[in-house]
Amino acid sequence: MEEERFGRRIRAFRKLKRVQQVEFAKRIGVSTTVLGRIERGEKIPSTEQLQQIADELNIDVQELMVK
């Protein structure tokens, strides 16, 4: 499932930056529940959320896209 791979990429980049889920959720303006659902592939982030995620990870949105 594409959503799961997408979520795993977000989680992997977040962990590479050594940012806890609670802190990352605060930084992008969502609850930890929402971030968890995104990382598990249960929810697709909005365009705004996607840009915030990429900005916080200091990467381009394209790097988050499933290859």
Side-chain angles (χ1 to χ4, degrees):
M1 184 180 244
E2 297 295 317
E3 293 87 4
E4 288 177 14
R5 283 189 275 168
F6 178 71
R8 283 195 303 261
R9 288 183 61 78
I10 292 171
R11 179 179 288 153
F13 277 110
R14 176 179 60 77
K15 288 187 173 190
L16 279 173
K17 299 289 183 174
R18 296 186 175 159
V19 179
Q20 294 294 316
Q21 191 177 48
V22 173
E23 180 61 28
F24 194 70
K26 286 180 189 177
R27 290 182 187 182
I28 64 170
V30 300
S31 69
T32 54
T33 301
V34 170
L35 180 57
R37 290 186 65 215
I38 291 170
E39 289 185 348
R40 288 190 302 276
E42 297 170 1
K43 180 181 181 344
I44 300 297
S46 68
T47 303
E48 283 180 6
Q49 290 171 332
L50 184 59
Q51 188 61 59
Q52 289 174 312
I53 290 168
D55 289 347
E56 282 299 322
L57 294 171
N58 215 16
I59 60 174
D60 293 330
V61 171
Q62 295 291 30
E63 291 183 69
L64 292 173
M65 298 296 134
V66 178
K67 295 182 180 184

